[in-house]
Each structure stands twice: as C-alpha cells, then as structure tokens.
Amino acid sequence: MKHLIKRTLLVGLGLSALAMTAPSPSHAEDALSGTIEFYTSQPDEDAAKLVEEFNKLYPDVTINIYRSGTEEVVSKINAEEEAGQVLADVVLLADAVTFEGFKSRDLLLEYRSPETEAIDSQYVDDYYTGTKTLATGIIYNTDAITEAPDSWNLFTDEASKDAFAMPSPLYSGAAAYNLGVLTRNEAFGWDFYQQIQTNQPMVTKGNGGVLESVASGERSFGMIVDYLVQRAAKDGAPVAFAYPKEGVPVITEPIGIMAATEEEEIAKAFVDFLLSEAGQTLQAELGYAPIRQGIEAPEGLRSVDEIDAVLSADMKELFENREADKEAFDKLFAE
C-alpha cells in the first residue's frame, strides 16, 4: 500500500550526454528494481529530467513524483505522519531549516553519500545534503527599470508603493528562510518587513508568481530566487536579476531519505546520482548553480564563492522560530 500515491509523473525527457558521463554508482544497476516516492518543491519539468537521467542508469526503478511548494509538501508529510505512515522515500525541498525539522522528529534516515567528498562540508549533514545554491535578490522589468538596482532599500522607498511583488513565506520555503534570516539581521530586522508592508506589495503564492507579475509588467520589480530570472531572460522575457550590495540569503535545496522508506538502496542510489558529477552537471544545464566543487555556475548566476556577502542566521534559531515568524508575517500583511 505504501506506493499508492495519487499523483504519478512518468517521465520521458532526457539529456543523453549526461548518461555517457555518469559514474557507476556503488549500487549494482542490474540489481535495483522497485518503486519510490519522491516529494519535491522543484519545478515539475526539472524533477522529470532528473528522474529521466537516473532511469538511464536504473531502468527498472519507477519514481513517482509529488510536487508542490515546500510548506505544502511539509504539511503533506505531517499529515502522513499523523496517519501513521509517511509515504515519501526521498525528499528534496527548499532549505536546511525544513530538514532540521524533519531530523528533530526522527523522520530522516542517516546517510552521508560518498559523493559528498566533493561538496563543501558546510552544506553536508549526516541526514541531508544541499543540492545547489539559490540566492534571493531583485528581479526587475528592464522595460520599466533601465539601471540595475543595487540595494534592498528599493523595497522600502516610498516611491516603490504598489510597484513590486514578493513570495509568501506561508507557501514558499525560500521565502520562509529569507524571512527568518532578514529579521535576525541587524541591518534589516522586522522594521524592513514593516516598511515593505507599508508600500503595499503584491504577495504571491510563490516565486513563480513574482516572476509572472514582473515579466508581464504588472509590477516593476520583486524579490525572487535567482535561477528563475535567468531562465525567463534566456527565453526572451524583459527581466534581469540583481544581487543587492548588502548581501543575499542563500538556500541549498537539500535532499534527504525518509526513515520510513522500504526501498533504502534505491533511495541512496537516487541521492548519490543527484550529488554526482553527472547529476550536478544536469543541475547546471537546468540553470542552477551546482553545489559540487569543480562545476561552473550557468552564465548570469554566481556561485556562493562569487557572492560578495551571504546573509545567514543560526540554523537552530531559524528552525525553532519558523512557525512564529510565519504567523507574525501573516498578521503583519493581513493588516
């Protein structure tokens, strides 16, 4: 009954070049067969391509994908836990704080992939590992704004009233992480969000809504993760991305294995592939800044080492206060 999940995505896309460069994982390809459930906040197409490449190594493995915003995926897992059975085998979501929550409830399997030897130790935990680096900064419509903005002050300027969009931390894991980080930074604090609220922003369900509102010209600029802007610009949308001089929050979209999995070997093989050279090359081709050393970020994006200042906060404090932060945001922006 474990794999009777309602939403199944069977993938048929592929990047054949990656299959040729993929390393031989420690798991025997011919011996692996079965089905796992993959819960993620990645865009559908990206998750599909990842599974397609994995299936070139393990053709007898079926991976069912459930995709939604991080906060909704967490709610689904919480509901499954309360019902007595977590269905997910592998989870890839926005930020490490989310995984700290899972770990605190003993929901994760302890596993450190051998591929983590090529990843900076600050992004590796015994229970989960970052898969890429995503910076949050400023998207702007190049028809409306001709000079690239360079400061978060753009959001608090009185002239910006009704001019911008931002994602809701009640849905977006990245936005929830940003909220926790920025409100604990003395240069921002809750005053930053209170000033933003005064300017009456459009609060969208997620980063995709911000992109849509700015690309269409409905709003002139917004707060967003970097890779979405580069993709849209590449497709011809009148948008560009700017890294504010004060610094940017960075999430790593970790991946982890749920402790309740009945397919541990398949789950480990899937994690290994995503962190491998082939898997990380795929991340770069999809437009993300890879987390594995030795693989360049796509044009227009910066790796963590190239970002002037990364804004961060104590992970334990972020985890312990996430729900309170979201409630405070909801109250503030409901006014």
Side-chain angles (χ1 to χ4, degrees), residues 135-151:
T136 291
I138 303 172
I139 178 178
Y140 61 99
N141 185 295
T142 52
D143 291 334
I145 300 176
T146 57
E147 185 175 347
D150 67 351
S151 173

Side-chain angles (χ1 to χ4, degrees), residues 28-163:
E29 287 92 334
D30 295 339
L32 283 183
S33 64
T35 301
I36 63 171
E37 312 298 334
F38 177 38
Y39 288 14
T40 183
S41 59
Q42 276 199 314
D44 286 319
E45 183 179 356
D46 295 351
K49 287 180 179 178
L50 171 61
V51 172
E52 167 64 15
E53 289 305 313
F54 177 78
N55 279 148
K56 290 178 180 179
L57 290 174
Y58 304 97
D60 295 327
V61 172
T62 297
I63 299 180
N64 299 326
I65 300 174
Y66 172 80
R67 191 273 164 195
S68 191
T70 290
E71 298 305 308
E72 289 190 355
V73 174
V74 171
S75 294
K76 179 175 174 61
I77 291 174
N78 291 346
E80 292 176 356
E81 182 188 16
E82 291 179 7
Q85 186 175 36
V86 174
L87 298 176
D89 294 287
V90 179
V91 178
L92 189 158
L93 297 171
D95 65 302
V97 177
T98 297
F99 284 82
E100 284 296 313
F102 291 150
K103 189 169 71 170
S104 72
R105 288 150 50 198
D106 297 322
L107 293 180
L108 294 176
L109 180 75
E110 184 174 357
Y111 180 60
R112 185 179 286 245
S113 169
E115 300 293 344
T116 60
E117 293 181 5
I119 298 173
D120 192 312
S121 61
Q122 67 177 307
Y123 306 124
V124 180
D125 185 87
D126 287 338
Y127 293 83
Y128 60 88
T129 304
T131 63
K132 59 183 71 71
T133 57
L134 307 177
T136 291
I138 303 172
I139 178 178
Y140 61 99
N141 185 295
T142 52
D143 291 334
I145 300 176
T146 57
E147 185 175 347
D150 67 351
S151 173
W152 288 113
N153 290 335
L154 180 64
F155 291 86
T156 59
D157 191 315
E158 290 183 7
S160 295
K161 188 172 183 179
D162 297 320

